[in-house]
Amino acid sequence: MHPAGLPFVGAGLAVAALGYRSRWLRTAGLAAAAVQAGFFRHPKRVPPTRPGVVVSPADGQVCLIEHAVPPPELGLADTPLPRVSVFLSVLDAHVQRAPIGGEVVAVEYRPGLFGTADLPSASSDNERNSIVIRTPEGVDIIATQIAGLVARRIVCEVKPGDKLAIGDTYGLIRYGSRLDTYLPEGSRLLVSLGQRAIAGETVLAELP
């Protein structure tokens, strides 16, 4: 389980302990703790070892494949890039993993709305946090955490200068959300709309 889930699981267990004389309170507390433990689960993943691939940063369903301009707060060129969006339901594991290995060169948070995360407008309207990872070859990959209708908290545990290996956990979003991955032009996409993606394992694309 991700450490961010400990307070929530602890709260459920506390309710169960304090209400141990009441079957209803005891059951409700244990059930709440179990639900939170499931949501904050941190499953082991085995990333691909072949070079030049970008993996999904999140568990979920591929909901959009399109060209789009990266988040403006990153200060990058306004040239549209291939973008793959993965929608996370409340039943998915919500930890995020590095889509590629390299150095974190930018981290930018932007407040926003909490609309339904599977809509195209979520990329521009919703609260988000973006990171740019630069590979040793100088290729930049952007991963953007987007809050959803139920999500109210984005957690990002990296800062510029940090080094990540492909598949490393770097953050999470609480309760339903979306991850956008921006790829270099010319990347070969290997997923399709509606496909289930596994964070750290499903290959989204091969770099040009």
Side-chain angles (χ1 to χ4, degrees):
M1 186 176 67
H2 193 280
L6 293 176
F8 298 91
V9 174
L13 294 177
V15 169
L18 292 172
Y20 73 97
R21 294 180 183 275
S22 166
R23 181 179 178 183
W24 183 87
L25 278 177
R26 187 171 65 250
T27 301
L30 292 174
V35 168
Q36 295 295 338
F39 177 83
F40 286 101
R41 65 191 183 276
H42 192 184
K44 182 178 180 180
R45 298 288 161 79
V46 181
T49 56
R50 71 182 190 271
V53 297
V54 179
V55 298
S56 177
D59 287 10
Q61 184 178 54
V62 177
C63 63
L64 288 171
I65 298 176
E66 58 190 351
H67 276 66
V69 175
E73 60 269 20
L74 291 172
L76 303 175
D78 58 359
T79 303
L81 297 174
R83 181 175 72 189
V84 178
S85 301
V86 175
F87 175 73
L88 297 77
S89 76
V90 294
L91 299 179
D92 289 309
H94 272 58
V95 293
Q96 277 84 64
R97 300 173 189 265
I100 202 164
E103 179 181 354
V104 178
V105 296
V107 178
E108 293 291 342
Y109 167 80
R110 199 212 71 167
L113 304 178
F114 296 97
T116 303
D118 58 349
L119 295 178
S121 59
S123 293
S124 57
D125 296 344
N126 285 17
E127 175 177 304
R128 63 178 180 249
N129 187 81
S130 300
I131 69 171
V132 180
I133 302 174
R134 182 166 295 159
T135 71
E137 295 76 27
V139 177
D140 288 348
I141 302 296
I142 304 164
T144 301
Q145 300 166 288
I146 300 174
L149 187 64
V150 182
R152 287 296 185 273
R153 173 69 169 146
I154 294 175
V155 177
C156 181
E157 300 169 330
V158 296
K159 61 185 184 302
D162 287 349
K163 301 293 180 62
L164 291 171
I166 186 171
D168 280 354
T169 300
Y170 76 89
L172 63 85
I173 314 175
R174 289 212 293 263
Y175 312 127
S177 45
R178 173 168 145 193
L179 259 292
D180 286 353
T181 305
Y182 295 82
L183 305 160
E185 190 61 62
S187 298
R188 178 176 171 239
L189 296 179
L190 298 176
V191 290
S192 57
L193 284 175
Q195 178 178 334
R196 289 287 302 173
I198 303 299
E201 293 186 351
T202 300
V203 176
L204 297 181
E206 293 177 345
L207 296 176

